[in-house]
Amino acid sequence: MEKFLIDLLESRSPTGSETEAANVIEKYVKPVADSFEKDVLGNRIASYGKGKKTLMLAGHIDEIGLQVSYIDNNGFLFFQQLGGHDNVMVSGRAVCILTDNGIVRGVTGKRAIHLMDAKERKEVPETHQIWIDIGATSQKEAEEMVSIGDAIVYETPIVKMSNNRYAARAFDDKAGAFAVFETLRRVAKAKAKCDYKLVSVGTTQEEIGTRGAITSAYSVNADVAIAVDVTHATDFPTCDVRKFGSIKLGEGVVISRGPNLNPKVTSRLIELAKKNKIPYQIEAEPRPTGTDARAIQATRCGIPTGLLSIPLRYMHTPCEVANSNDIKACVDLLEAFAKSLKNKDDFTF
């Protein structure tokens, strides 16, 4: 994988506390962009070109996490969730707590299986039945290390698997954020003359309601936009493709079709994928998507919006699995789309 993407994956950016990821983007993108800005929601907005019309590419830089909500008398931390978690996965994990004084490390814990009765062993623990152990022996000691409201992420290394597959924390959506900014880097380094100004945005707080996309889409006021996120790869045991469709890891970028997506933008993406021999898959999206596309499409008077997704296994777990070839295909298609736009293009229908 590209070093840019590796650095993004290693950054800690629980929703609402995205500064580490934002700093990585600034390091790699600001030197080649015509402008680089940040706003009060923490969005990072880079632009290239002088076109009268604007193409907006958006990928969110926040990830799921936890937040300290209570410290008990013995120094154990209790927490609330930032974004959606499967509680089966939460306990027994190494975590990093982002404090004003730096990182504090701990582990999530619950009663060992040996101390449960038969009924309890079958139950999924509720969030308040899991805690974080930072090694403190009292509330006072713990409060000297962490504060109520501190954000938390899992601590998971990047693992290279076979067949260009990698396991990591937060491919959702560091892969998408990488794609939109890598596209700008490519176009800028090639000094490509595009009719449309290209604006790439690393949006914040997607996991709790596409909040960064709402404000950044309003301020950018694009003429056309593409959101980039992850989608569920369904090529694993027990997944019923009759219900969820067939999306395979390593088979290419996913182009979504549905009412949240402008049909002319979608058709253009499919045509470009075919023309440039970029591997792609199609996904049906019958409702507003759970992505930034939902917010962008309905901004101001409406923005013609497309959605590209990167296939992902085990979404919202500490070890998500993606294929680097799919991420490359996404960047290739975004670049082709940006270069294809002409001032005469009309996305009304």
Side-chain angles (χ1 to χ4, degrees):
M1 292 192 298
E2 295 283 347
K3 184 66 164 57
F4 179 12
L5 177 54
I6 291 171
D7 287 353
L8 265 180
L9 289 168
E10 290 179 340
S11 69
R12 293 160 289 222
S13 58
T15 192
S17 301
E18 296 94 345
T19 303
E20 282 193 21
N23 288 343
V24 171
I25 290 166
E26 183 169 351
K27 171 186 172 182
Y28 282 90
V29 179
K30 188 175 182 179
V32 300
D34 288 336
S35 69
F36 189 91
E37 302 172 358
K38 57 184 176 181
D39 64 20
V40 295
L41 262 70
N43 296 306
R44 293 303 188 267
I45 305 169
S47 71
Y48 170 78
K50 307 296 182 183
K52 293 180 180 179
K53 292 186 175 182
T54 300
L55 164 63
M56 175 181 176
L57 306 180
H60 72 88
I61 60 175
D62 63 315
E63 59 181 291
I64 63 167
L66 308 169
Q67 185 181 41
V68 178
S69 58
Y70 173 69
I71 303 172
D72 76 5
N73 292 336
N74 295 310
F76 293 104
L77 315 182
F78 291 81
F79 54 85
Q80 299 294 327
Q81 297 182 1
L82 295 170
H85 294 253
D86 181 350
N87 276 14
V88 169
M89 305 279 185
V90 177
S91 64
R93 303 289 178 181
V95 296
C96 292
I97 304 163
L98 283 59
T99 79
D100 290 341
N101 297 314
I103 299 299
V104 172
R105 287 181 164 80
V107 295
T108 54
K110 67 178 183 65
R111 270 189 298 157
I113 194 168
H114 314 73
L115 306 179
M116 299 178 188
D117 60 32
K119 179 176 178 295
E120 289 172 326
R121 291 175 184 176
K122 296 178 182 179
E123 295 173 347
V124 176
E126 295 185 45
T127 301
H128 71 273
Q129 294 174 314
I130 311 170
W131 55 84
I132 295 174
D133 187 340
I134 58 171
T137 58
S138 68
Q139 183 181 50
K140 183 176 183 295
E141 184 182 355
E143 288 175 341
E144 292 173 351
M145 301 166 68
V146 303
S147 300
I148 300 298
D150 284 344
I152 306 159
V153 294
Y154 299 118
E155 185 169 33
T156 307
I158 300 171
V159 177
K160 188 178 189 304
M161 305 162 72
S162 59
N163 299 308
N164 296 304
R165 296 174 181 182
Y166 293 80
R169 186 201 83 250
F171 270 118
D172 179 10
D173 184 34
K174 305 293 179 64
F178 164 79
V180 305
F181 285 108
E182 183 64 14
T183 300
L184 186 143
R185 276 163 38 94
R186 278 194 193 180
V187 172
K189 287 179 178 179
K191 293 182 169 51
K193 297 188 182 301
C194 302
D195 279 9
Y196 278 48
K197 176 183 180 181
L198 173 58
V199 179
S200 293
V201 184
T203 62
T204 58
Q205 299 184 40
E206 189 272 351
E207 296 292 356
I208 55 171
T210 66
R211 300 168 70 84
I214 292 169
T215 59
S216 61
Y218 189 93
S219 64
V220 172
N221 193 20
D223 296 280
V224 62
I226 298 177
V228 184
D229 213 311
V230 295
T231 192
H232 298 284
T234 58
D235 55 345
F236 59 86
T238 77
C239 188
D240 190 341
V241 294
R242 297 172 302 173
K243 296 168 77 173
F244 303 111
S246 177
I247 301 295
K248 296 180 179 180
L249 214 62
E251 293 293 316
V253 62
V254 178
I255 303 171
S256 292
R257 297 183 66 197
N260 190 175
L261 301 321
N262 180 279
K264 288 189 174 181
V265 174
T266 301
S267 294
R268 173 80 65 92
L269 289 167
I270 294 171
E271 290 167 6
L272 288 167
K274 290 178 178 177
K275 178 182 177 181
N276 293 281
K277 295 182 170 53
I278 299 169
Y280 75 96
Q281 307 172 73
I282 300 291
E283 182 172 35
E285 290 282 6
R287 302 173 188 82
T289 65
T291 72
D292 284 341
R294 177 179 63 196
I296 296 169
Q297 179 199 41
T299 295
R300 292 184 182 252
C301 296
I303 297 174
T305 302
L307 174 61
L308 296 182
S309 301
I310 295 158
L312 188 70
R313 289 180 183 163
Y314 325 126
M315 194 183 300
H316 282 208
T317 74
C319 292
E320 300 174 335
V321 174
N323 188 306
S324 58
N325 286 342
D326 295 332
I327 300 171
K328 179 182 181 301
C330 183
V331 177
D332 290 343
L333 187 51
L334 288 173
E335 181 182 12
F337 186 86
K339 291 178 177 178
S340 79
L341 291 173
K342 303 299 178 185
N343 288 323
K344 65 181 181 180
D345 287 337
D346 179 5
F347 293 100
T348 61
F349 66 97

